Amino acid sequence: MSGTTTSDAERPADAPSGYDASVEDALAVLGMVAYLELAAFTRLAADAGLAPTLAQRLELSDLAGQSLDHLGRVRDRIGELGFELEQVMAPHAGLLVDFDTRTIPSTWWERLLKAYVGYAVADDFCRALARPLDDGTRAVVEDVLEGEAHTALVLGSLARAVESDPTLASRLALWGRRLVGEALNAVSAVLEGQPRFRPLLEAAMADERGADAQQRLFALLTAEHSRRMGRLGLAA
Amino acid sequence: MSGTTTSDAERPADAPSGYDASVEDALAVLGMVAYLELAAFTRLAADAGLAPTLAQRLELSDLAGQSLDHLGRVRDRIGELGFELEQVMAPHAGLLVDFDTRTIPSTWWERLLKAYVGYAVADDFCRALARPLDDGTRAVVEDVLEGEAHTALVLGSLARAVESDPTLASRLALWGRRLVGEALNAVSAVLEGQPRFRPLLEAAMADERGADAQQRLFALLTAEHSRRMGRLGLAA
């Protein structure tokens, strides 16, 4: 995929036609996004507590706060639809536990790469599923996930380290492949566990190439992953 | 102390006269408050990650977010005074580490009580030291610390548990005495380590009774502690 695109996923300006997304569809995606933001908050706050310097601790705490702000915006949208955050989130609780158990970073660099490319797959998945949703919900999802909050923090230090250390670069390239593989497994598990997402995914992938909706999704997610790895100078 | 007061510390409406607090005095107090808020954020976020239900996780995450908001307001005030958060906080980094090491809760109830009465001593200390400061700084300190964010969450469940379990009540009364003892030790250590606080404390305690400023402060902090324990139905 070209490295010149600045947005995270090229997507049609309007939702694909042929599928009339329901409020339940919107809530299913919003609930998943809410849980991902809560998980990101917990993770960033824990990273902040472990940060070696006060400056990094403040920076990571700020990022954690941004995740909470995102959660608040999703909560507002869920409220506008007449529902409550907790009940809408509940079906998605524990979403990343399995992924996290299978991808425990063994170094600080692996931790940073996971923060940048690991969780991004989940974000791309949510963005893709939001395509057929009503304009208001889609706008919230895209806006909340667009930040790639880690980017500045992570890209700078990681890209410098990779550039100056070819051994690290090849080790992290391997780690990146591991991460994307496990992330795609996690996406499969979500699609199996949440049948509601199937028709939504069909509609979302209508304009993409591939044999079926899941293959189209995986091609999209893999391409986005490759783009991110490329920005770090790493082979995908 | 009477249980009818609603404010956390009765204090004179105006700063005591006779001491002309400097910008450095204001920064010293603001830096300590900022660090306490950052520590509260880290602690609450960790508690949220351990919470047994999604509802509690959301509630504790919200509280953690409030601490970050408080930190942001202190940062703004420090900025108004022409300084940067990180450098102003740095002398206070690690403030509670020793206190925390000496007061590791062994049950969930001990953890809640520590959250409610343990860290409150540090808040009262900051409020007391802020009395002689300029109006703008004092207002920020009082406003940020006034919340007693834990109150609703903690008071309800803790007071119910204590009421129905006399054994728990006597154990927690002991734990409370331990907490306030260690907290006062921590305050002593701060006063020894930060000579700048001495004249500020003299000015702050001018209207209180007691042999010297530190005794007056300790009487005030102990009275506030007793009031909080009383609200839980616990002997101080």
Side-chain angles (χ1 to χ4, degrees), chain A residues 35 42 45 57 61 65 68 75, chain B residues 35 41-42 45 57 61-62 65 68:
Chain A
Y35 185 78
T42 303
R57 186 170 172 189
S61 298
L68 269 195
R75 182 204 310 254
Chain B
Y35 185 77
F41 161 74
T42 303
R57 186 171 173 189
S61 298
D62 266 348
L68 269 195

Side-chain angles (χ1 to χ4, degrees), chain A residues 35 38-39 41-42 44-46 48-49 54-55 57-58 60-62 64-66 68-69 71 75 85-87 89-90 93-94, chain B residues 35 38-39 41-42 44-46 48-49 54-55 57-58 60-62 64-66 68-69 71 75 85-87 89-90 93-94:
Chain A
Y35 185 78
L38 182 62
F41 162 74
T42 303
L44 289 164
L54 184 57
R57 186 170 172 189
L58 287 170
L60 287 163
S61 298
D62 266 348
Q66 286 174 27
L68 269 195
D69 290 343
L71 180 59
R75 182 204 310 254
L85 176 66
E86 190 193 335
Q87 70 190 99
M89 280 177 79
Chain B
Y35 185 77
L38 182 62
F41 161 74
T42 303
L44 288 164
L54 183 58
R57 186 171 173 189
L58 286 169
L60 285 163
S61 298
D62 266 348
Q66 285 173 29
L68 269 195
D69 290 342
L71 180 59
R75 185 204 308 255
L85 178 66
E86 191 195 336
Q87 71 190 99
M89 282 177 77

Side-chain angles (χ1 to χ4, degrees), chain B residues 36-233:
Chain B
L36 288 172
E37 292 295 341
L38 182 62
F41 161 74
T42 303
R43 189 173 65 243
L44 288 164
D47 286 354
L50 297 170
T53 69
L54 183 58
Q56 285 173 295
R57 186 171 173 189
L58 286 169
E59 188 166 4
L60 285 163
S61 298
D62 266 348
L63 291 178
Q66 285 173 29
S67 294
L68 269 195
D69 290 342
H70 293 165
L71 180 59
R73 299 188 53 200
V74 174
R75 185 204 308 255
D76 290 346
R77 180 62 191 161
I78 290 171
E80 285 166 15
L81 295 172
F83 290 80
E84 282 205 278
L85 178 66
E86 191 195 336
Q87 71 190 99
V88 171
M89 282 177 77
H92 305 278
L95 192 60
L96 294 170
V97 171
D98 201 46
F99 173 71
D100 281 331
T101 309
R102 289 165 176 278
T103 57
I104 295 171
S106 56
T107 67
W108 176 247
W109 299 117
E110 288 189 0
R111 191 180 189 87
L112 282 189
L113 191 65
K114 183 175 171 182
Y116 178 54
V117 309
Y119 302 109
V121 176
D123 290 356
D124 285 339
F125 176 47
C126 291
R127 262 191 293 265
L129 279 184
R131 289 178 180 183
L133 299 179
D134 67 277
D135 291 351
T137 300
R138 198 173 65 245
V140 168
V141 171
E142 289 178 1
D143 209 31
V144 155
L145 296 180
E146 192 178 33
E148 278 198 10
H150 276 92
T151 307
L153 182 72
V154 171
L155 271 182
S157 60
L158 204 49
R160 274 194 301 278
V162 160
E163 198 174 18
S164 66
D165 186 344
T167 311
L168 178 67
S170 64
R171 246 189 265 137
L172 288 180
L174 266 178
W175 176 243
R177 280 194 280 277
R178 169 98 178 278
L179 288 171
V180 72
E182 292 292 350
L184 294 178
N185 284 344
V187 169
S188 294
V190 168
L191 288 171
E192 274 166 40
Q194 310 264 353
R196 171 168 304 282
F197 284 152
R198 274 284 163 187
L200 204 55
L201 185 66
E202 296 283 346
M205 293 296 115
D207 296 339
E208 302 283 338
R209 292 181 183 201
D212 62 32
Q214 185 159 337
Q215 280 188 24
R216 294 173 188 188
L217 173 70
F218 277 29
L220 178 81
L221 296 178
T222 306
E224 289 299 317
H225 174 75
S226 300
R227 184 182 64 75
R228 274 187 288 266
M229 294 289 279
R231 284 176 72 185
L232 293 169

